[in-house]
Amino acid sequence: MRPIRIAIAGTGSIARLHATALAQLGDGATIVAATDVDAARLAAFCDSHGIAGRYDTLDGLLADCRPDLVHVCTPPGSHAGLALACLRAGLSVLVEKPPALSLAELHAMAAAQGKAGPFLATVFQHRFGSGARRLRRLICDGVLGRPLVAVCHTLWYRDQAYFDEPWRGRWDTEGGGPTMGHGIHQMDLLLYLLGDWTQVQSISRRQARRTDTEDLSMAHVTFASGAVASVVNSVLSPREESYLRFDFERATVELTHVYGYGEENWAITPAPGFEAEVLSAWEAGEHGVNSGHAAQFAAVLAALREGSAPPVTSADAVRTMQLVAGIYASASANRPVSPADLGPQSPFYQGMDGAGAVAGRLSGAAL
Ligand SMILES: NC(=O)c1ccc[n+]([C@@H]2O[C@H](COP(=O)([O-])OP(=O)(O)OC[C@H]3O[C@@H](n4cnc5c(N)ncnc54)[C@H](O)[C@@H]3O)[C@@H](O)[C@H]2O)c1
């Protein structure tokens, strides 16, 4: 079995984590090339990971070598352009979150895929821990009964200096604040577990940081199943926590961590009378895989080997990005928003600011 040949675009912080995670997969993958607009970063990255192919542009890289997969690890503003260049050259691409600045960009990227490849996938690594996969299986099998109430809190802390990085805190380069950049991880996991959302009502604030975007959003989300979730996305919270809680008819399931989870981060509390069946089903499922890039990359490589669309697919990424857009749109218009409100006619389809979500310039009619 020959290794999957990978190229990396953008050799900053998250690219180092990609290289480490790929190394954990042994002979399954090899990084053959990298590109960065910053020559010093590119050289340091390639030196420390033994990468031979070094390019100052993606076009140069694509002209010279044909990797099986390109990991896009640049700031969000360049994701669409780089991903489209790869897809149009016939190469599959795995894009870091958020996959694009807008739904419009993401749909253009998704449309450049082929039925049998090239494929577009997004990094949402928290779907791939065994706890999440086990919970999803229990939900699908009906073991826990109907989901009724959920909590999805991303309470993280980023000081003002974090926003010194020129691309952070700006609609045109980052695409949003903690809703788009941080809470998106937890919201993606919420949607993976609870399925389609039907309505969101939210507020969005700039409480303390000097940025163009929000630094806090709070939302109520209704699901097709009838479940309702409370969602908070904050970068103002000194005691950091990523907290998801699901109250089903037959059990409460909780996940408490910050940036990644293992088995020890999950707790299950059966409802009275359901102890035996709930606990035995929870014990029986898949165990021992932490959430993280390595777990997702293993699933991506397996899909590529069998010629199927790697996870997280563009359809799943669209659903998550629609919820992000819905939170901004609802906060701006101060009314509930559904996915149907977020089609190409909506300014929130073209950009998460809707040309001024935080400033609140739009009326409900403009959605
Ligand atoms: N999945 C996660 O848990 C996670 C965590 C952190 C960051 N991220 C995401 O990873 C992405 C990158 O974040 P980061 O913290 O590594 O940023 P970074 O600023 O540390 O690194 C980005 C790199 O991309 C390079 N770059 C910029 N434009 C380029 C272009 N057009 N072509 C080639 N190289 C280019 C920069 O020179 C820099 O070296 C963002 O989308 C971010 O949201 C994901």
Side-chain angles (χ1 to χ4, degrees), residues 8-18 35-39 41-42 55-58 72-79 82 95-99 123-126 156 158 162 165-168 173-174 180-182 184-185 259 293 296:
I8 295 196
T11 59
S13 316
I14 205 66
R16 290 196 287 279
L17 210 147
H18 279 235
T35 176
D36 199 297
V37 291
D38 182 321
R41 266 193 215 183
L42 176 66
Y55 300 89
D56 55 7
T57 65
L58 179 69
V72 174
C73 300
T74 58
S78 53
H79 288 181
L82 296 172
V95 185
E96 262 298 349
K97 52 59 55 177
V123 176
F124 283 123
Q125 70 268 26
H126 297 313
W156 291 6
R158 297 292 182 268
Y162 173 83
E165 188 74 44
W167 60 269
R168 293 200 190 278
T173 49
E174 192 166 18
M180 178 76 153
H182 307 90
I184 196 169
H185 281 297
Y259 301 134
H293 285 72
Q296 177 165 3

Side-chain angles (χ1 to χ4, degrees), residues 43-335:
F45 180 79
C46 291
D47 287 348
S48 67
H49 298 286
I51 300 165
R54 304 165 184 213
Y55 300 89
D56 55 7
T57 65
L58 179 69
D59 287 347
L61 186 154
L62 297 182
D64 223 34
C65 72
R66 270 199 86 72
D68 301 307
L69 178 67
V70 180
H71 288 210
V72 174
C73 300
T74 58
S78 53
H79 288 181
L82 296 172
L84 281 169
C86 295
L87 291 163
R88 286 172 184 157
L91 302 177
S92 291
V93 63
L94 174 62
V95 185
E96 262 298 349
K97 52 59 55 177
L101 291 181
S102 66
L103 287 165
E105 283 189 355
L106 184 53
H107 279 289
M109 293 152 73
Q113 299 176 100
K115 277 203 165 52
F119 298 112
L120 168 71
T122 301
V123 176
F124 283 123
Q125 70 268 26
H126 297 313
R127 291 179 177 224
F128 297 89
S130 43
R133 296 165 72 88
R134 192 163 75 245
L135 175 55
R136 190 169 137 109
R137 167 71 23 231
L138 263 56
I139 295 170
C140 293
D141 291 348
V143 174
L144 302 175
R146 280 195 307 134
L148 304 172
V149 186
V151 172
C152 176
H153 288 177
T154 301
L155 301 168
W156 291 6
Y157 187 76
R158 297 292 182 268
D159 63 12
Q160 190 60 47
Y162 173 83
F163 295 97
D164 289 347
E165 188 74 44
W167 60 269
R168 293 200 190 278
R170 287 171 42 189
W171 294 107
D172 61 336
T173 49
E174 192 166 18
T179 316
M180 178 76 153
H182 307 90
I184 196 169
H185 281 297
Q186 275 61 250
M187 291 190 287
D188 179 71
L189 182 53
L190 179 78
L191 294 168
Y192 172 67
L193 293 167
L194 292 191
D196 291 338
W197 66 276
T198 54
Q199 192 177 83
V200 61
Q201 173 112 44
S202 63
I203 61 164
S204 163
R205 292 281 183 274
R206 197 183 303 119
Q207 298 277 71
R209 300 290 176 263
R210 291 185 305 281
T211 66
D212 293 346
T213 67
E214 87 288 2
D215 55 19
L216 169 71
S217 69
M218 304 176 89
H220 294 156
V221 183
T222 307
F223 287 81
S225 65
V228 181
S230 156
V231 176
V232 180
N233 302 300
S234 158
V235 283
L236 307 171
S237 308
R239 188 183 75 73
E240 294 190 299
E241 184 171 82
S242 303
Y243 179 64
L244 283 102
R245 172 180 172 133
F246 304 90
D247 293 312
F248 300 92
E249 288 173 306
R250 295 180 201 145
T252 292
V253 181
E254 293 166 277
L255 172 61
T256 310
H257 68 117
V258 183
Y259 301 134
Y261 64 79
E263 292 297 343
E264 69 282 7
N265 299 107
W266 291 88
I268 186 159
T269 309
F274 293 97
E275 291 86 351
E277 66 189 86
V278 163
L279 292 180
S280 67
W282 183 249
E283 289 307 315
E286 182 185 350
H287 280 77
V289 180
N290 293 348
S291 74
H293 285 72
Q296 177 165 3
F297 294 171
V300 167
L301 298 186
L304 286 177
R305 284 192 193 289
E306 67 180 29
S308 60
V312 171
T313 65
S314 55
D316 284 331
V318 165
R319 184 172 62 177
T320 297
M321 285 279 282
Q322 266 184 337
L323 179 56
V324 172
I327 289 174
Y328 288 129
S330 169
S332 172
N334 193 22
R335 72 161 175 85

